[in-house]
Amino acid sequence: MNLKSYTPFERALIIVMIIIAVALIVMLALAFANIVNGYTLNLSFIIGFSLYIIIRILYALEHRSRVIGVDALTPTLFLISYVSVVLFVVAVSLFFVVTSLLARVVGMGFAPLLSYLIAFLTSLGVLVVSTLLGFVVVDLAMPRIDKYFLRRDRVSIDELLRRGELVSDEGGVRAFVFTGNRYAGFGFGSLLRGYAFVFTPTGELDLIGRGILAHELGHARSRHTIILTLAFLLMLSDYIVVAYLHGPAFYLSILLAPFFMALPFIIIRVCETHADLAWYRMYGEESVNQLREVLRRFYGVNDPRKAPLNSRLTHPGKRDLVLRFGDALAPHASWEFPLLAALFNAAVVDFYLLLRISSFLPLIGRFLTLILTLFYVGSFVGGLVLVYLFGLVFKPLVRYFLAGSLTEDGLTNASLLLSSIYLAASAASLLLASLWWTAVIAAFVITLVIIRHYVGKLKPSLFTVLSTMVIYLAVNLVLLLIMHVTVPIALHWFESLWYVR
């Protein structure tokens, strides 16, 4: 399926969404170059992001009604109305609470890093509380809205279950089946309730429809909607605080923006993989055949690696691995976790450099953007290289302890995940100074929890994390000894160079 398979209206909406995304990236670059200020960037992001959401809703309505059928409009409109209430509560808090709090926090005159952290956490805290409050308001105010909204004839839940229209009502998650032109589905979950919608050509749950239902129930029961919302709130908070920060703190907000933009994208892929894992746990290896049939009817292919790009952006191309072996790490591409680590490392190292050369700003002010850009690119590339190198070093240890729990692709991704988290911890330790050990402890706990989650066994997970972390700390110790000798020499040379000029 390529762009020509879409209607002119759908193509126009896709092009506009791409233009908005590119425009936001351009505005970010202009702010980094001091061509536009933080208020302009903040305003452009709010306007652009709002337009993107509106256009995305229009596209969903148009595309689903054409591809799946008119019946798809009913649950789609229900989802939109549900989310709209939440967005309204968030918007109210954004304009009446966040702005006043941030103005006071930034005016207290903290150090750059502390100023950014307090402003960011203040904005994020208000947004998270208001978002969760919005979910609770919808859950409590409309306890039976699904029955009245999803079916025009107001009948009892028992009657809907008997008809097969409401196919499941357990654990606060309700699943509905609709008639569609082809197999499809989507699910979401709030704090108290969840919904899964399945579309089949007959309007009944056959074997393929049940597989799709298992996937969507995985989304709803795991509350992936809330997880994704929190990821987007991180990005939104970073863009909000940029309008209130100045100096190095302002640059830190800009430097972290690419990381926060990539984070929701990776989390979406993680959520999709875990929904496939729920599918596998219900139907075993039969889920692979169900997936192939869905792909064949929807895209004309039977291999997820050959699915269109718009599908592989959110669903890993190797998603059949989790459906064959139950390994939720295996489907991820080898660049996903290193990308996040490298972006975070580049932002922190660049900010650390900015703090170190702040005394030279009168001399290098006009070259500051160029210097920071070069160091950002260098740190990003260097971070990727380090992650992959340590991943290669960790791979034998990971294979030794986890060989029976993960596939070969899963072992590779586990090695890269460990090295990615360790690199991020090393970058954070630059800013923590004498409290560097807190970054080490945080990295240990995070990696242990994540590896334990994917492997399901504590003992091999603990040995894996301990052995790899010892190696990483030993290498860092050697590098610190080298830097202890070379950095003072380099700084002395740098100062001498500028004084001579």
Side-chain angles (χ1 to χ4, degrees), residues 8 26 44 69 71 73 75-76 100 116 125 169 220 227 287 312 337 352 385 460 497:
V26 171
S44 63
D71 265 4
L73 291 176
T76 303
S100 60
Y116 172 81
D169 184 20
I227 295 174
S287 56
R312 288 184 286 113
F337 304 127
Y352 181 75
V385 172
L497 177 64

Side-chain angles (χ1 to χ4, degrees), residues 99-209:
T99 53
S100 60
L101 280 177
L102 289 180
R104 293 188 178 185
V105 168
V106 176
M108 294 180 181
F110 295 109
L113 177 60
L114 190 59
S115 178
Y116 172 81
L117 288 177
I118 293 177
F120 177 80
L121 293 176
T122 300
S123 173
L124 179 63
V126 174
L127 289 177
V128 168
V129 171
S130 61
T131 301
L132 297 181
L133 178 63
F135 278 124
V136 172
V137 168
V138 178
D139 285 340
L140 296 180
M142 300 186 292
R144 300 179 69 83
I145 188 64
D146 47 11
K147 184 187 71 173
Y148 294 100
F149 193 96
L150 296 172
R151 291 298 172 190
R152 293 183 179 87
D153 50 339
R154 300 184 177 183
V155 298
S156 65
I157 296 297
D158 293 336
E159 177 64 16
L160 290 176
L161 284 169
R162 187 187 66 79
R163 292 182 184 181
E165 296 166 348
L166 174 63
V167 295
S168 176
D169 184 20
E170 298 178 1
V173 178
R174 290 179 177 176
F176 294 83
V177 60
F178 291 84
T179 302
N181 298 332
R182 60 181 68 180
Y183 290 99
F186 64 92
F188 75 100
S190 60
L191 283 177
L192 305 179
R193 304 160 63 191
Y195 298 88
F197 304 103
V198 179
F199 304 91
T200 66
T202 61
E204 298 179 356
L205 275 183
D206 52 15
L207 183 61
I208 300 174

Side-chain angles (χ1 to χ4, degrees), residues 47-279:
I47 295 175
F49 192 67
S50 301
L51 288 175
Y52 183 89
I53 292 177
I54 294 173
I55 295 173
R56 187 66 181 84
I57 290 174
L58 291 176
Y59 172 79
L61 293 173
E62 169 69 16
H63 185 70
R64 285 178 175 168
S65 63
R66 179 178 67 85
V67 175
I68 304 176
V70 178
D71 265 4
L73 291 176
T74 302
T76 303
L77 287 171
F78 170 68
L79 174 60
I80 292 172
S81 65
Y82 201 101
V83 174
S84 297
V85 176
V86 179
L87 291 178
F88 175 77
V89 176
V90 174
V92 171
S93 68
L94 177 65
F95 290 105
F96 295 100
V97 181
V98 174
T99 53
S100 60
L101 280 177
L102 289 180
R104 293 188 178 185
V105 168
V106 176
M108 294 180 181
F110 295 109
L113 177 60
L114 190 59
S115 178
Y116 172 81
L117 288 177
I118 293 177
F120 177 80
L121 293 176
T122 300
S123 173
L124 179 63
V126 174
L127 289 177
V128 168
V129 171
S130 61
T131 301
L132 297 181
L133 178 63
F135 278 124
V136 172
V137 168
V138 178
D139 285 340
L140 296 180
M142 300 186 292
R144 300 179 69 83
I145 188 64
D146 47 11
K147 184 187 71 173
Y148 294 100
F149 193 96
L150 296 172
R151 291 298 172 190
R152 293 183 179 87
D153 50 339
R154 300 184 177 183
V155 298
S156 65
I157 296 297
D158 293 336
E159 177 64 16
L160 290 176
L161 284 169
R162 187 187 66 79
R163 292 182 184 181
E165 296 166 348
L166 174 63
V167 295
S168 176
D169 184 20
E170 298 178 1
V173 178
R174 290 179 177 176
F176 294 83
V177 60
F178 291 84
T179 302
N181 298 332
R182 60 181 68 180
Y183 290 99
F186 64 92
F188 75 100
S190 60
L191 283 177
L192 305 179
R193 304 160 63 191
Y195 298 88
F197 304 103
V198 179
F199 304 91
T200 66
T202 61
E204 298 179 356
L205 275 183
D206 52 15
L207 183 61
I208 300 174
R210 292 184 184 279
I212 298 175
L213 176 61
H215 178 93
E216 302 306 336
L217 284 175
H219 283 308
R221 288 171 177 167
S222 299
R223 301 302 193 257
H224 287 165
T225 306
I226 295 179
I227 295 174
L228 291 175
T229 300
L230 294 177
F232 278 105
L233 290 181
L234 288 170
M235 179 179 65
L236 180 59
S237 297
D238 186 64
Y239 271 95
I240 289 174
V241 300
V242 73
Y244 301 89
L245 299 174
H246 307 281
F250 169 81
Y251 278 102
L252 179 59
S253 179
I254 300 295
L255 292 169
L256 284 172
F259 168 78
F260 286 122
M261 292 173 67
L263 183 62
F265 169 67
I266 302 300
I267 290 182
I268 287 174
R269 294 169 65 87
V270 172
C271 289
E272 291 295 344
T273 301
H274 279 74
D276 283 340
L277 181 61
W279 190 351

Side-chain angles (χ1 to χ4, degrees), residues 407-484:
T407 62
E408 188 64 24
D409 289 306
L411 294 173
T412 299
N413 284 330
S415 303
L416 294 174
L417 177 60
L418 288 168
S419 58
S420 297
I421 296 176
Y422 296 161
L423 177 67
S426 295
S429 65
L430 287 174
L431 303 179
L432 293 173
S434 60
L435 296 177
W436 60 269
W437 52 270
T438 59
V440 176
I441 294 176
F444 175 80
V445 173
I446 292 173
T447 51
L448 180 60
V449 170
I450 293 177
I451 297 300
R452 168 66 175 79
H453 167 74
Y454 281 107
V455 174
K457 301 175 183 177
L458 178 60
K459 188 175 180 179
S461 302
L462 180 61
F463 287 153
T464 302
V465 174
L466 283 175
S467 59
T468 54
M469 178 164 279
V470 167
I471 293 177
Y472 191 81
L473 290 176
V475 173
N476 273 268
L477 179 60
V478 173
L479 292 177
L480 285 174
L481 292 175
I482 296 174
M483 291 176 61
H484 182 72

